[in-house]
Amino acid sequence: DQVERAYEEITENDNFVAETFRLYFSTIHRKQMVNGYSSYFPPTYSELATVMEEFPSAASVDYIKNRKITIILVNKNQYGERWNTVQESMNRLPAIRLLKQFENINVYSIE
């Protein structure tokens, strides 16, 4: 499935497929990442994945801030029909600020 699907086809139900693309993109942008995977999943990865299931909750934003993460990229397609609700929730959180919009990706700062 990871080899056969285009990035634009990934939905909110394809978290592990999305990770493959995220790791690939990291070879281009060369920024540090808190997500990613291999054959070993450290406890911090599972913790991050669990907390981020509730994004953009206050708890998930606090988790991000506590790890000194200052930039997040959000793929709108991966939220499916929930995107408008997610975006409204992010707009209500003062710690999240939209920096740049692309076709399907929004870049936010975490303050």
Side-chain angles (χ1 to χ4, degrees):
D1 198 29
Q2 293 171 318
V3 176
E4 297 174 0
R5 299 184 71 193
Y7 186 68
E8 295 76 25
E9 297 173 348
I10 297 172
T11 68
E12 60 186 306
N13 299 317
D14 300 319
N15 288 329
F16 288 112
V17 175
E19 285 298 301
T20 302
F21 285 101
R22 292 177 187 134
L23 288 173
Y24 169 73
F25 295 146
S26 75
T27 67
I28 298 166
H29 63 67
R30 307 297 245 177
K31 303 290 184 191
Q32 291 183 351
M33 296 173 52
V34 294
N35 60 322
Y37 73 95
S38 67
S39 60
Y40 170 71
F41 290 92
T44 55
Y45 179 86
S46 297
E47 183 179 286
L48 172 68
T50 300
V51 170
M52 293 309 289
E53 285 290 322
E54 302 298 322
F55 182 80
S57 67
S60 65
V61 173
D62 286 344
Y63 184 90
I64 292 168
K65 288 170 59 174
N66 288 337
R67 273 135 196 91
K68 310 280 190 267
I69 297 167
T70 58
I71 302 289
I72 59 171
L73 283 70
V74 178
N75 183 326
K76 298 180 269 188
N77 290 345
Q78 292 175 9
Y79 284 95
E81 294 187 12
R82 295 184 311 125
W83 172 246
N84 289 333
T85 303
V86 169
Q87 188 174 30
E88 289 171 10
S89 295
M90 286 192 298
N91 290 340
R92 286 193 297 269
L93 293 169
I96 299 177
R97 185 171 53 95
L98 179 65
L99 295 176
K100 181 90 173 169
Q101 288 182 302
F102 297 95
E103 185 176 337
N104 297 316
I105 305 288
N106 285 359
V107 181
Y108 296 91
S109 69
I110 305 295
E111 303 168 345

